[in-house]
Amino acid sequence: ERQMCFVAGPRQVGKTTSCRRLATTYLDWDVQEHRALIAAGQHAVAERAGLELLQADDEAPVLVLDELHKYPRWKNFLKGFFDLHGERCHIVVTGSSRLDAYRRGGDSLMGRYFLYRMHPLSVAELLNTQPPGEELVRPPTRPDESSWQALWEHGGYPEPLARNSARFSRRWRTLRRSQLLNEDLRDLTRVQEVALVEILGQLLADRSGEQLVYSNLAADVQAAPNSIKAWIETLCALHFGFVVRPWYRNVSRALRKEPKWYLRDWSGVADEGSRAETFIANHLLKAVEGWTDWGLGAFELRYVRDRNKREVDFLVVRDAEPWFLVEVKKSGTAPSPGLAYFQQQTRAAHAFQVVLDQPYVEADCFAHTAPTVVPARTFLSQLL
């Protein structure tokens, strides 16, 4: 496409490593020499990238600009560079987990870029790295059992997954959490709030899969509920976690209800039931955001709950219509009665009870329309 590519995602998910492999010219704002070159203006960068040289039509250079959002005038720089040189090169802008937050508001780059959200590795990506086609779900594929266990125990971030060491993973998680709740947090909040947001982050680290009750969190942190809401949005922007909102056809009603909270790194969740739900939540989020970013439709991840406290963990919505329901269990084969009830209420095409401990089955989950108990190994291999 002619548009620039913005790659956003959590810290240490592999954005820079992946994009540098595509680059013919790589500039990092954190490198002093590169910073001086960018500050010198669009023409200096174009000269470094060789854009004044004659190029074959199918050999346009790829310019990767990393951590550019730290430059105070980065939007003006990109707008001018794209307008001057966008037809002669491909421009990829990567950054830390804050890039997606920084691009919002007064966006002078509208129409000049596409956003791609990069997620930790998933079951399906370990099996197949090809982008999705028009068929959203893939054929089922048996995952390697050692890779499955490594993903479950160490999470989907490349370094701890590749190391496959419990000791390394614990140290890595501690360091990453400290960086997020200190360095990154100070860049997005007023300094006097940082200590309280750190406390909130520590509380939320132990509550993955739980419904957020803002008044209770406000009492725990000694802050106003509106502040708690704003700080949770900040933690989501930093990719420390994410929220899943309830689904109602009445949008305003859905916004008034309290969401559920999930950590971005399931490997740090101690309780196995909560880890199972967080594990599936992250895979579903990757799927809905990936399908949306690839232009295959408008997808959302929600949950459903009624006044009688019947609940199903997840509902994937496709183009404003319920598509499939997911209830998560660590073990067991008895289907939840809520699946059939909410499938009837939402008219979703599929309803799955996804069980973590069940062995892989060579069958297409999406060939079934009635509520079905499916192995997580099979179900997740069909997503992104």
Side-chain angles (χ1 to χ4, degrees):
E1 309 289 355
R2 71 174 185 88
Q3 283 82 1
M4 295 179 284
C5 172
F6 279 18
V7 181
R11 176 190 278 270
Q12 297 180 328
V13 78
K15 300 180 296 298
T16 297
T17 301
S18 299
C19 293
R20 284 194 72 169
R21 293 182 179 182
L22 303 173
T24 52
T25 301
Y26 172 78
L27 298 176
D28 183 352
W29 180 259
D30 288 336
V31 176
Q32 187 172 357
E33 177 191 350
H34 296 176
R35 187 185 309 143
L37 184 68
I38 293 169
Q42 290 98 341
H43 292 295
V45 173
E47 185 177 355
R48 168 66 72 89
L51 301 189
E52 307 299 334
L53 304 175
L54 181 65
Q55 303 282 349
D57 291 339
D58 59 347
E59 295 180 357
V62 178
L63 171 63
V64 173
L65 300 167
D66 200 3
E67 299 290 346
L68 186 66
H69 62 274
K70 295 180 180 179
Y71 180 30
R73 295 189 294 276
W74 73 280
K75 287 186 180 180
N76 289 335
F77 171 86
L78 270 184
K79 181 177 182 295
F81 190 90
F82 178 80
D83 291 345
L84 285 171
H85 307 290
E87 294 183 356
R88 286 181 286 171
C89 69
H90 300 296
I91 303 168
V92 180
V93 182
T94 72
S96 68
S97 56
R98 301 182 299 274
L99 176 62
D100 193 27
Y102 271 98
R103 72 176 180 86
R104 299 173 187 168
D107 206 335
S108 61
L109 299 172
M110 188 60 65
R112 294 176 171 87
Y113 70 91
F114 286 136
L115 174 67
Y116 293 92
R117 289 165 285 190
M118 191 169 181
H119 290 257
L121 290 160
S122 61
V123 172
E125 191 176 3
L126 292 176
L127 295 167
N128 186 347
T129 59
Q130 295 301 310
E134 291 303 316
E135 293 293 329
L136 295 176
V137 295
R138 307 177 189 274
T141 306
R142 182 187 299 273
D144 176 74
E145 192 59 28
S146 61
S147 298
W148 170 274
Q149 290 300 329
L151 198 66
W152 168 258
E153 293 173 11
H154 305 291
Y157 289 85
E159 193 169 11
L161 181 62
R163 293 291 188 96
N164 199 10
S165 162
R167 180 180 296 183
F168 179 85
S169 293
R170 283 192 291 269
R171 295 176 66 188
W172 183 91
R173 278 197 304 270
T174 301
L175 178 60
R176 180 176 177 275
R177 185 173 295 179
S178 175
Q179 289 172 328
L180 283 176
L181 296 180
N182 287 281
E183 298 172 24
D184 293 356
L185 189 58
R186 291 177 192 278
D187 289 345
L188 277 182
T189 60
R190 296 189 296 274
V191 174
Q192 62 266 30
E193 296 175 342
V194 168
L196 293 178
V197 184
E198 285 184 47
I199 293 171
L200 177 62
Q202 292 165 2
L203 291 173
L204 292 174
D206 298 323
R207 302 185 185 186
S208 189
E210 295 185 14
Q211 194 171 31
L212 291 175
V213 181
Y214 295 120
S215 57
N216 292 349
L217 286 169
D220 291 339
V221 180
Q222 297 295 298
N226 285 341
S227 296
I228 296 295
K229 287 183 182 180
W231 296 343
I232 287 174
E233 288 179 7
T234 298
L235 292 172
C236 291
L238 293 173
H239 300 287
F240 180 66
F242 60 96
V243 296
V244 176
R245 299 193 177 278
W247 181 82
Y248 293 97
R249 290 198 181 274
N250 185 325
V251 175
S252 63
R253 186 179 179 190
L255 292 174
R256 289 197 302 269
K257 298 294 183 178
E258 291 168 325
K260 293 173 73 174
W261 162 265
Y262 294 95
L263 286 177
R264 281 283 191 155
D265 181 11
W266 62 79
S267 68
V269 180
D271 178 78
E272 288 212 337
S274 297
R275 184 191 290 195
E277 189 174 332
T278 305
F279 182 72
I280 300 298
N282 276 272
H283 278 75
L284 290 172
L285 182 71
K286 177 172 182 165
V288 299
E289 291 190 349
W291 290 327
T292 300
D293 292 347
W294 279 98
L296 299 174
F299 295 84
E300 299 175 87
L301 181 60
R302 300 295 186 98
Y303 76 94
V304 286
R305 181 183 174 94
D306 66 11
R307 293 178 180 177
N308 297 321
K309 298 186 178 179
R310 287 175 292 202
E311 182 177 320
V312 170
D313 293 326
F314 304 108
L315 170 66
V316 172
V317 180
R318 178 181 182 181
D319 297 326
E321 292 297 328
W323 180 23
F324 64 87
L325 292 151
V326 175
E327 177 71 12
V328 181
K329 299 292 183 184
K330 182 67 170 60
S331 59
T333 57
S336 167
L339 275 175
Y341 172 77
F342 279 112
Q343 185 178 27
Q344 183 180 16
Q345 295 298 310
T346 62
R347 299 181 183 177
H350 311 281
F352 304 120
Q353 182 154 306
V354 177
V355 183
L356 270 289
D357 289 346
Q358 275 198 343
Y360 173 82
V361 175
E362 186 73 30
D364 181 2
C365 299
F366 290 85
H368 298 268
T369 56
T372 308
V373 178
V374 301
R377 289 164 174 78
T378 304
F379 174 71
L380 296 180
S381 75
Q382 296 195 251
L383 304 181
L384 279 185

